[in-house]
Amino acid sequence: MQNRNYLSVSQFIDITDNALKRFGSAVILGEISEIAHYSHLYFKIKDEISALECIMFASNLSSLNFRPQIGQKVLVTGVSSVYKKNGSFKFIVRNMIMAGEGLIMERLRLLKEQLNSQGVFTASKRALPEIIDTVGIITSKEGRVLHDMVRTIRQRSSVIKIELYDAMVQGDEAPKTLIEALHRANTEGKCDVLIIGRGGGSFEDLLPFSDESLVREIAKSKIVTISAVGHEPDVSLSDFAADFRAATPTAAAVMVSAMTDDMLLTRLDKITDGMTQGLLRQIDYLMMKNDSISSRLKASNPLQHLNLVESRLNAIVQNLSALMHHSLDNTMQRLNDDIKDLNLALDNRLNQTQQRLDKVLYNLESFNPLSKISVFESVLDGLISRLNSACDFYLHNTDKRLVYIIDKMHMLNPLQTLKRGYAIAYNDKGQMLKAKETKTGDKIRIRLDDGVIKATVNDTNDKTADATIVD
């Protein structure tokens, strides 16, 4: 061994290690296949053919923004090295980042945490309207998913209207067009609920529905939203921002058509029956109130009131001439006012009833249940006829009572007595005279039908009194 034409093991490893390090750093793409966490991170990355052992020292681990796991694709940056103790080849990793789909998923995870912390996902979710008249669908008009949703809705409900808001559903321009479609739907305000989504696709195809700007706009929508992206396993950030998530677009179509035609007709029958019963109860109430008013009018006995008026007129007969016409006019005016008020009240009640009937008919026409409406109109015509007959009867009786009262007041008018040849004598103070209270020589006035006579009393007795007329 005098000629040194060999290297020791350690020398060879040192030379090899130095040679590898002189190559400089390298960036390698691979999938983590094995991993062990100690003070340092030991792991293996592989591709379809080869595997590479790596080590990342603790001083570099603190710079990672994710936790490495088996199955993740990563980009590692570092230098090659040979471990001197056992001559094994190692790649010393100084930096590691996620690559491909894994990198995108990590970014989505961070975005989800950010949006959640800002309250985008935690806002209170709204319920679906009980009755949905119009559904807006935000998707591509070219996709088969639109046909599937329309067909599902049509099979379940023939009355729901569908509005399409066309937008791209994949590619870099998709989020912008989806936002524009969402804005257009909210501005028009035609829809009760919006479905935003697309059919299944690759992970990259579904990424537009996790766009931050789109997710924020979905959360701010004034209209209830349903996110329906891909298939059951697919999850997009739009699912968390919308009021509802549907596993598939077809499932979303089922949700918005929960009120089928049969269910709608059954509900309409119940509403119609309820409105009919309510209207009949209202008409019965009006009839009972009318009967009550009639009973109260009968119980008030106007004749007793007129007798009281007659007694009071006899007591103040000296003022009756001036007051009678005024009282009669006021009474007539009050009666006329009462009749007008009664007519107005009846007209108002009839108008209100007619308006309610019109509203009922309008609502019934909106649902177009022709057979129900025909029966209902027949019932209503009968009820209106009965109500009109009752009102005419009541007004006729009121007019007859008014004529009777006027005739009675004419009969009780003292001026009518004077026309039959009678006279009223009273003193200068306007007090009505009695024979036993009159003395010879008293000045008196005698009221006749056609004027007043001034006279002087010559003599008195219990039955007659002679008088001298003074010019």
Side-chain angles (χ1 to χ4, degrees):
M1 293 204 174
Q2 293 178 352
N3 296 323
R4 293 289 302 261
N5 56 356
Y6 60 87
L7 297 172
S8 67
V9 173
S10 58
Q11 288 175 332
F12 175 76
I13 290 176
D14 287 339
I15 293 172
T16 303
D17 184 49
N18 290 331
L20 290 173
K21 288 179 179 178
R22 281 198 296 271
F23 289 150
S25 62
V27 179
I28 304 173
L29 172 65
E31 178 183 325
I32 298 176
S33 59
E34 298 177 17
I35 192 166
H37 290 272
Y38 299 105
S39 57
H40 309 302
L41 181 66
Y42 299 89
F43 62 100
K44 221 181 242 189
I45 60 175
K46 67 175 184 176
D47 57 17
E48 292 80 359
I49 300 174
S50 304
L52 175 65
E53 289 192 3
C54 304
I55 180 172
M56 191 172 192
F57 295 119
S59 58
N60 294 318
L61 281 174
S62 59
S63 64
L64 292 180
N65 58 5
F66 70 100
R67 182 177 179 82
Q69 296 178 356
I70 292 176
Q72 291 177 337
K73 280 192 174 182
V74 293
L75 284 171
V76 294
T77 303
V79 296
S80 301
S81 177
V82 178
Y83 188 41
K84 190 171 184 178
K85 189 172 182 180
N86 59 14
S88 61
F89 180 80
K90 300 282 188 183
F91 188 72
I92 310 300
V93 178
R94 295 173 181 168
N95 185 39
M96 177 167 50
I97 60 174
M98 297 186 71
E101 191 172 304
L103 175 61
I104 297 173
M105 291 182 65
E106 179 63 17
R107 289 175 178 172
L108 291 179
R109 184 187 68 81
L110 295 175
L111 177 59
K112 179 181 176 183
E113 291 179 357
Q114 174 190 346
L115 294 174
N116 189 58
S117 66
Q118 294 174 354
V120 176
F121 299 152
T122 56
S124 60
K125 305 299 183 182
R126 296 163 292 187
L128 285 174
E130 188 173 2
I131 296 179
I132 296 176
D133 179 65
T134 304
V135 174
I137 300 178
I138 302 176
T139 191
S140 172
K141 65 181 180 181
E142 306 297 336
R144 178 176 176 78
V145 69
L146 175 63
H147 171 73
D148 292 341
M149 285 192 285
V150 172
R151 181 186 60 190
T152 299
I153 294 173
R154 287 285 176 260
Q155 288 175 345
R156 295 170 56 83
S157 174
S158 60
V159 299
I160 293 178
K161 296 187 286 291
I162 299 174
E163 291 285 337
L164 170 64
Y165 295 94
D166 185 34
M168 297 172 62
V169 293
Q170 68 183 59
D172 294 339
E173 294 298 316
K176 178 182 177 182
T177 63
L178 289 167
I179 292 173
E180 290 173 350
L182 182 63
H183 284 172
R184 190 163 65 254
N186 275 273
T187 300
E188 292 178 0
K190 297 179 181 178
C191 305
D192 302 302
V193 62
L194 294 174
I195 300 175
I196 180 169
R198 57 156 291 157
S202 67
F203 176 79
E204 289 79 8
D205 290 341
L206 305 183
L207 281 178
F209 292 88
S210 292
D211 179 80
E212 180 179 356
S213 298
L214 175 61
V215 171
R216 292 185 183 275
E217 292 302 320
I218 292 175
K220 293 190 295 185
S221 173
K222 295 181 291 185
I223 303 174
V224 177
T225 54
I226 300 176
S227 176
V229 181
H231 301 300
E232 176 65 40
D234 299 320
V235 178
S236 299
L237 295 186
S238 62
D239 295 340
F240 302 98
D243 294 291
F244 293 92
R245 175 190 181 263
T248 64
T250 302
V254 172
M255 290 173 64
V256 299
S257 58
M259 181 72 75
T260 63
D261 284 348
D262 291 339
M263 295 170 62
L264 186 60
L265 289 175
T266 301
R267 184 179 182 86
L268 181 59
D269 287 342
K270 291 182 179 180
I271 293 174
T272 303
D273 292 341
M275 294 175 68
T276 301
Q277 294 300 320
L279 185 60
L280 291 176
R281 285 195 297 270
Q282 182 67 17
I283 292 175
D284 289 341
Y285 169 75
L286 291 175
M287 296 293 290
M288 291 174 61
K289 189 171 184 180
N290 182 62
D291 292 342
S292 175
I293 292 173
S294 299
S295 299
R296 284 159 57 190
L297 286 174
K298 291 178 181 178
S300 65
N301 196 355
L303 292 177
Q304 292 182 2
H305 179 70
L306 290 175
N307 289 333
L308 178 61
V309 171
E310 181 181 5
S311 176
R312 292 176 63 186
L313 288 175
N314 290 332
I316 57 171
V317 65
Q318 64 274 18
N319 296 322
L320 187 59
S321 179
L323 297 176
M324 191 60 189
H325 291 292
H326 179 69
S327 176
L328 182 60
D329 290 341
N330 285 344
T331 302
M332 291 291 291
Q333 183 64 43
R334 286 198 301 271
L335 289 173
N336 288 333
D337 290 343
D338 289 342
I339 292 174
K340 289 180 181 178
D341 291 342
L342 181 59
N343 288 333
L344 181 60
L346 290 174
D347 288 342
N348 288 339
R349 183 64 68 182
L350 286 173
N351 288 336
Q352 291 175 0
T353 303
Q354 186 63 48
Q355 289 176 2
R356 291 179 181 175
L357 292 176
D358 292 343
K359 186 175 181 180
V360 170
L361 293 176
Y362 174 79
N363 290 334
L364 291 176
E365 289 175 358
S366 298
F367 296 108
N368 198 22
L370 298 180
S371 59
K372 292 287 184 179
I373 291 176
S374 177
V375 175
F376 188 57
E377 285 180 343
S378 177
V379 173
L380 291 181
D381 289 342
L383 293 175
I384 292 174
S385 177
R386 288 173 54 192
L387 183 60
N388 287 335
S389 298
C391 292
D392 292 341
F393 178 75
Y394 179 76
L395 291 175
H396 177 70
N397 285 346
T398 303
D399 289 341
K400 289 173 64 177
R401 289 178 180 276
L402 177 61
V403 172
Y404 172 77
I405 291 170
I406 293 173
D407 291 343
K408 186 69 174 178
M409 295 183 70
H410 277 301
M411 292 174 61
L412 298 175
N413 189 345
L415 297 180
Q416 297 295 324
T417 304
L418 296 180
K419 290 182 179 180
R420 295 197 298 271
Y422 291 93
I424 300 173
Y426 51 93
N427 58 23
D428 292 339
K429 297 180 179 180
Q431 297 172 335
M432 188 170 64
L433 298 177
K434 294 183 179 180
K436 62 183 179 180
E437 296 176 352
T438 306
K439 298 179 293 186
T440 301
D442 284 351
K443 304 292 185 181
I444 66 173
R445 296 172 181 266
I446 301 172
R447 174 61 187 260
L448 302 176
D449 176 48
D450 57 351
V452 177
I453 299 174
K454 294 181 180 179
T456 301
V457 177
N458 291 333
D459 191 12
T460 65
N461 57 50
D462 292 340
K463 295 183 179 180
T464 62
D466 297 330
T468 300
I469 298 176
V470 180
D471 293 334

